[in-house]
Amino acid sequence: MERGEIISSQVVKLTVLGSGTCVPTKKRGSSGYLLSTDTSSVLFDCGNGTVWKLEKIGVDYLKIDNVFITHFHPDHTSDLIPLLFATRHPYGKKREKPLGIWGPEGFFEFIEKLREPYGEWLRPELVEIHETGKKKQNIGGLEIKTFKTLHTENSIGYMIYVSGKKIVYTGDTGYFPGLRKLAKRADIFVTECALPDSEKMTVHMTPSDIANITKRNNPSKIVLSHLYPSMDGKDLPEEIKTISGNGETEIIVAEDLMEIVV
Ligand SMILES: [Zn+2]
Ligand SMILES: [Zn+2]
């Protein structure tokens, strides 16, 4: 994969809106990430609480250009309902440009089924639903390529190239060897690290899996997210560095409302 063409040097900022899972805790809400550049604001996943948190950090939800969904689990999709409803009834405000909502194969059907009980409430104007497909695409100034993940039948992750930066978001996934190549020279590798090694599952990752990814393919920054409550109170960066022997990659444990600039 070639790096995207550098259009201009601009600030690329990732804001973690939800670093948790389906289990709500005081510290962590469900998955949601805001990627902002000088020219666009996009969301990756839209779990419960995402839209409200946008308002909390002063980002107008009507200014979001695109939303990219990794899979259909409720902790990644449930705030699409308030997002669409609030777009239809924005209370004195107005959406002025189209909102693209993208998801994996089966997404058209998923949205149509959501609209069965909610009907017109989930049919605001200026909203376009898309399935991402497999080809690299330029979407609102970002080069986007998806990859299959090991989680559900249709689950995907996203590789984003913008302003010469490579950002990878795994969504939920178990470990598979292709993740090492995906992480190579990433400026930010946002990965799920859901559970401790003692609770290993095939569809989620643990610190040993992350160490396997970072061993030889150093991303500059790795952001550990989608953390179940049993991950709190652990020194995850130290644990991963000890297993991998790689002390170069900066390992950040995500927190809700944390901002990372590249
Ligand atoms: Zn999840
Ligand atoms: Zn999931």
Side-chain angles (χ1 to χ4, degrees):
M1 176 67 56
E2 294 295 315
R3 287 192 162 217
E5 188 186 340
I6 299 175
I7 301 162
S8 63
S9 180
Q10 52 179 328
V11 173
V12 178
K13 187 169 80 179
L14 176 84
T15 308
V16 178
L17 298 170
S19 59
T21 61
C22 61
V23 180
T25 70
K26 261 191 224 166
K27 281 176 70 175
R28 303 185 192 283
S30 296
S31 292
Y33 304 84
L34 171 69
L35 187 73
S36 21
T37 67
D38 297 348
T39 52
S40 76
S41 297
V42 304
L43 288 177
F44 289 89
D45 282 333
C46 197
N48 33 309
T50 301
V51 176
W52 174 70
K53 282 187 191 147
L54 281 178
E55 289 299 305
K56 203 172 154 91
I57 60 167
V59 174
D60 185 345
Y61 70 95
L62 294 169
K63 302 259 163 69
I64 297 293
D65 300 288
N66 287 286
V67 180
F68 298 95
I69 297 293
T70 57
H71 65 294
F72 305 150
H73 281 159
D75 57 324
H76 298 253
T77 55
S78 57
D79 246 26
L80 288 175
I81 296 169
L83 176 63
L84 290 169
F85 190 32
T87 301
R88 188 172 165 86
H89 298 285
Y91 197 67
K93 298 194 282 183
K94 202 171 146 214
R95 171 161 274 281
E96 282 164 1
K97 51 184 179 176
L99 167 67
I101 308 183
W102 303 74
E105 196 184 337
F107 194 55
F108 292 129
E109 192 188 348
F110 175 81
I111 292 288
E112 277 315 306
K113 284 193 171 155
L114 271 190
R115 284 168 168 167
E116 276 173 22
Y118 290 115
E120 292 307 304
W121 298 331
L122 297 198
R123 283 187 202 280
E125 289 178 350
L126 290 175
V127 170
E128 296 164 0
I129 307 296
H130 308 267
E131 290 186 1
T132 53
K134 294 188 178 116
K135 285 193 187 136
K136 192 194 245 186
Q137 299 185 66
N138 189 312
I139 301 171
L142 309 177
E143 271 186 50
I144 300 272
K145 174 105 172 69
T146 63
F147 55 91
K148 178 85 196 83
T149 58
L150 185 62
H151 189 65
T152 64
E153 194 185 339
N154 299 339
S155 60
I156 55 175
Y158 289 89
M159 248 193 303
I160 307 108
Y161 294 91
V162 58
S163 195
K165 310 287 185 197
K166 174 182 175 180
I167 296 137
V168 180
Y169 171 49
T170 67
D172 289 7
T173 185
Y175 175 80
F176 59 96
L179 284 168
R180 291 160 62 177
K181 195 171 167 199
L182 289 162
K184 205 169 179 177
R185 292 199 291 273
D187 294 282
I188 312 180
F189 185 74
V190 185
T191 180
E192 79 125 278
C193 184
L195 294 161
D197 284 314
S198 56
E199 295 175 40
K200 172 81 187 140
M201 290 172 76
T202 52
V203 294
H204 284 299
M205 288 199 281
T206 67
S208 289
D209 294 323
I210 306 300
N212 227 344
I213 294 167
T214 58
K215 213 174 262 175
R216 280 192 297 272
N217 301 288
N218 306 338
S220 338
K221 283 187 174 64
I222 188 159
V223 178
L224 309 176
S225 198
H226 200 271
L227 301 149
Y228 272 98
S230 54
M231 297 298 261
D232 287 331
K234 292 181 183 294
D235 189 345
L236 295 171
E238 194 53 40
E239 194 177 333
I240 290 164
K241 281 178 187 172
T242 304
I243 303 167
S244 71
N246 166 11
E248 287 170 36
T249 297
E250 184 187 354
I251 302 175
I252 299 164
V253 180
E255 286 177 17
D256 289 18
L257 308 188
M258 173 186 267
E259 292 182 350
I260 300 152
V261 175
V262 278

